[in-house]
Amino acid sequence: MTERAVRWLRRNLFSDVWSSATTLAIVAGLLHWLPGLIDWLLLKAVFRADAAACAAADHAGACWGVVAAKYRFILFGRYPYAEQWRPLAATVLLLLVIVASGLRLMRRGTLLAAWALALPSFFLLMAGGVAGLSPVASDQWGGFPLTLLLATLGMLAAFPLAVLVALGRHQSGLPLVRGLCALYVEGVRGVPLISVLFLASFLFPIVLPQGFSIDVLVRVLAGIVLFAAAYLSETLRGGLRAVAAGQHDAAAALGLSRWQAMRWIVLPQAVRAVIPSLMNSAVSIFKDTSLVTVVSLYELTGSLSLALSGDAKWRSFYLEGYLFIGLIYWICCYSLSRFGSSLERRLAAGLPVNP
Amino acid sequence: MSGRRLRSFALQGAVAVGLALLLWLLFHVTAANMHARGIRSGFGFLREPAGFAIGESLLPFDSSDSALWALVVGLVNTLRVALPAIVVSTLLGTLIGLGRLSPNLLLSRLCQAYVETLRNVPLLLQLLAWYFVVTDLLPDAGAALQIAPHVFLSKSGLALPWFGGDGGTLFDLPVRGDFGVTGGAALTPEYLALLGGLSLYTAAYVAETVRAGIQSVPRGQSEAALALGLSRVQSFRLVQLPQALRSIIPPLTNQHLSLSKNVSLAVAIGYPDLVSIADTTLNQTGRAAECIAVIMAVYLLLSLVTAWLSAWLERRTGHWAERHD
């Protein structure tokens, strides 16, 4: 046992002079910094929602009290306090369906039905106006449910658009369509997301006919979809190019039309080939939702600022608030990317993606 | 004409007509809306005085200068963050990427933790947090931290020696007084937070790019190099690195491009980059379409120039690798 441990140490931490020096330097650094960090994070931290105790600690310890005092506002934004069980229920429902999809707990038909049920229920719970639920306008929606909604719907709506654009750019018969798709993809990928969000928030209202207005939430969502689809379509196009030409020929030899071959033979293989990159895009979209706070939609990042900026008692403990929502983002994004790499391993092992 | 060509011709004709109709409709509706709301259009406002002040700028600027000049100042501010951030993130990212491949488990795990933490939290949140740390948690200027000789860090930013003093000296050295730090060059908290946040965040992506690039070189290459009697360092420099660079440079260019697009998040912490200034101009003049068009045009131009540069660089590294083959 000890012999194995020594061998492990020698191989991984002390294989040569350089490695030993590195190990010692890192251990010294950890010994120097870690106690202070643990003090700040835990030992000297204030966990109660007690502003006076937090002020007395004077940043020697973290003030987690700010989270204890404000977590409802941070998580749900300006949604009416008494009704906040609704966004909670909606979020849990949507998360359950997402996790069930990821863990392959359901067959495809059941899964589609679950999604078809969960998304309308999400909106009904949030918006109300039916079944005795008081109506809540979408400008009151905020916090984590809004983040989740923007990321999920953004991804779901961007995917079909991305498939169309990727096909349009991939085929060779229609140069005009190919040019337009290329213009769209390269145009969007060349500009920052903020400018697309400005476009959605300032310009969409002007280009719509008079008397026809759409909700700012929908406009911003459209902006996110347009942005995400450009990136997704490039990924998909890479997948389309990776499918061997023989597949087209074999499908044609079997009597399938070009679109049948695309739908049943080529596209499934193309999507499979790029699933890991698609998951990376999903992580990016999730993180990018934080930018909508710039156009006055208060998702998780925005609702934190909303919760703390007006409150002099807690205003000096933003860092703890940032760490709290940072942890939420991290858990979501890290699970997504772990899920991506597990799919990658399954694919590499030749296992099916669906049960 | 064959059936297929006819069909493709007809389909493209339909697309063209549909698109033209859509554009015409869009233009028509927009013009009517703008007329109804009394919105004027055109780029004439660019020559009128900007009417706002800019927090910091390399170029001289005054609120009576034109809006166009304000945007130029913004673009220079964007580049003033983007270029150093590209250098810092590339160096730091390369080190972390190499660290992840180190045979030392502790080092590689530490580098992995860095990458996994920074990549999975939104950049905007990281920038806001850095900005808060600089402006709220650092000491006041009167009690500035001295982090190196004549380098002071405080709530009001970083003061460091710079060329040219008043008394004809080569360097102008900052000095800490009772009311703050005077002399030298001063970097504002906004600039520091943006530069630091962007560099640290992008370094995580660069590290992944570097790691993937080096891992893409088959093991047999370094084994063969060692068998030929090259040392580890020689094998890395002469065999692995030139081959790895070929697969590192294209994605690395993409990282640099997305870094320069991410400078636009400056708007959240009040650093006057191109997008913040275009946003301010938009709010002052109401010319939404024009201001957004300016942002997009500048960034598209930047992308084109970078694409051209990277193609050139790729050709160069291609030659460079071949010379060592």
Side-chain angles (χ1 to χ4, degrees), chain B residues 44-61:
Chain B
F45 71 97
L46 288 176
R47 277 192 298 272
E48 285 160 27
F52 55 83
I54 295 180
E56 57 182 299
S57 97
L58 282 184
L59 304 169
F61 182 82

Side-chain angles (χ1 to χ4, degrees), chain A residues 8 11-13 15 18-20 22-23 26-27 30 59 173-177 180 186-196 198-199 202-203 205-210 231 258 280 283-284 286-287 290-291 293-294 301 304-305 315-319 322 325-326 329-330 333-334 337-338, chain B residues 4 7-9 11-13 15-16 19 25-26 29-34 36-37 39 102-107 110 112 116-125 128-129 132-133 136-137 201 205 254 260-262 264-268 275 279 282-283 288-289 292 295-297 299-300 303:
Chain A
W8 185 89
R11 193 173 61 237
N12 290 312
L13 297 178
S15 56
W18 286 112
S19 182
S20 309
T22 312
T23 304
I26 293 175
V27 168
L30 289 180
H59 298 294
L174 309 168
L176 181 68
V177 175
L180 287 174
E186 298 308 329
V188 170
R189 291 192 335 142
V191 301
L193 174 57
I194 284 197
S195 60
V196 178
F198 282 159
L199 197 78
F202 293 115
L203 279 192
I206 311 185
V207 300
L208 287 173
Q210 292 256 288
Y231 283 85
R258 272 187 23 202
N280 279 342
V283 173
S284 298
F286 196 95
K287 287 188 295 177
S290 61
L291 295 198
T293 160
V294 176
T301 313
L304 174 78
S305 307
R315 208 166 6 196
S316 51
F317 304 106
Y318 257 106
L319 186 62
Y322 288 138
I325 63 169
Y329 278 113
W330 187 84
C333 295
Y334 188 69
S337 58
R338 295 301 304 182
Chain B
R4 170 169 280 187
R7 217 172 51 208
S8 108
F9 203 72
L11 193 58
Q12 295 196 71
V15 168
L19 193 73
L25 198 69
L26 220 59
V29 169
T30 309
N33 278 342
M34 288 172 79
R37 297 185 201 180
I39 306 175
S102 157
N104 186 303
L105 198 67
L106 204 53
L107 182 62
L110 211 61
Q112 185 181 6
E116 297 287 8
T117 310
L118 284 254
R119 278 208 316 176
N120 287 316
V121 175
L123 173 61
L124 182 72
L125 183 56
L128 290 171
F132 179 79
V133 167
D136 264 71
L137 301 184
Y201 178 81
Y205 283 87
N254 272 339
S260 52
K261 283 182 276 175
N262 283 335
S264 62
L265 300 194
V267 77
V275 174
D279 185 37
L282 190 163
N283 287 324
I292 296 170
I295 301 176
M296 291 187 161
Y299 267 101
L300 284 175
S303 299

Side-chain angles (χ1 to χ4, degrees), chain B residues 35-264:
Chain B
H35 183 72
R37 297 185 201 180
I39 306 175
R40 293 174 306 151
S41 63
F43 285 92
F45 71 97
L46 288 176
R47 277 192 298 272
E48 285 160 27
F52 55 83
I54 295 180
E56 57 182 299
S57 97
L58 282 184
L59 304 169
F61 182 82
D62 181 285
S63 62
S64 59
D65 285 328
S66 70
L68 181 65
W69 186 244
L71 290 166
V72 171
V73 165
L75 177 60
V76 171
N77 275 343
T78 293
L79 296 175
R80 187 164 83 104
V81 173
L83 296 177
I86 282 174
V87 174
V88 175
S89 64
T90 306
L91 292 177
L92 184 64
T94 307
L95 287 180
I96 294 169
L98 292 175
R100 273 203 75 175
L101 294 172
S102 157
N104 186 303
L105 198 67
L106 204 53
L107 182 62
S108 81
R109 284 295 151 84
L110 211 61
C111 294
Q112 185 181 6
Y114 176 90
V115 170
E116 297 287 8
T117 310
L118 284 254
R119 278 208 316 176
N120 287 316
V121 175
L123 173 61
L124 182 72
L125 183 56
Q126 297 186 28
L127 291 179
L128 290 171
W130 286 121
Y131 186 57
F132 179 79
V133 167
V134 175
T135 51
D136 264 71
L137 301 184
L138 285 180
D140 287 320
L145 293 172
Q146 184 164 22
I147 50 179
H150 293 292
V151 178
F152 296 98
L153 187 61
S154 73
K155 267 190 179 113
S156 27
L158 182 78
L160 71 175
W162 199 247
F163 298 105
D166 291 333
T169 48
L170 180 58
F171 284 107
D172 182 15
L173 301 174
V175 184
R176 182 171 52 191
D178 287 341
F179 302 104
V181 179
T182 50
L187 301 177
T188 62
E190 291 80 17
Y191 181 80
L192 283 181
L194 193 59
L195 178 65
L198 270 174
S199 304
L200 294 174
Y201 178 81
T202 314
Y205 283 87
V206 172
E208 278 302 274
T209 306
V210 168
R211 179 183 69 103
I214 291 175
Q215 280 181 332
S216 75
V217 180
R219 255 184 108 84
Q221 294 285 328
S222 60
E223 283 165 4
L226 292 179
L228 284 173
L230 270 67
S231 74
R232 265 190 188 288
V233 176
Q234 280 176 324
S235 145
F236 182 76
R237 196 171 67 84
L238 300 174
V239 177
Q240 280 179 286
L241 191 62
Q243 298 186 58
L245 273 183
R246 260 187 273 187
S247 51
I248 288 175
I249 284 177
L252 191 62
T253 320
N254 272 339
Q255 300 303 342
H256 294 164
L257 266 181
S258 69
L259 184 148
S260 52
K261 283 182 276 175
N262 283 335
V263 175
S264 62

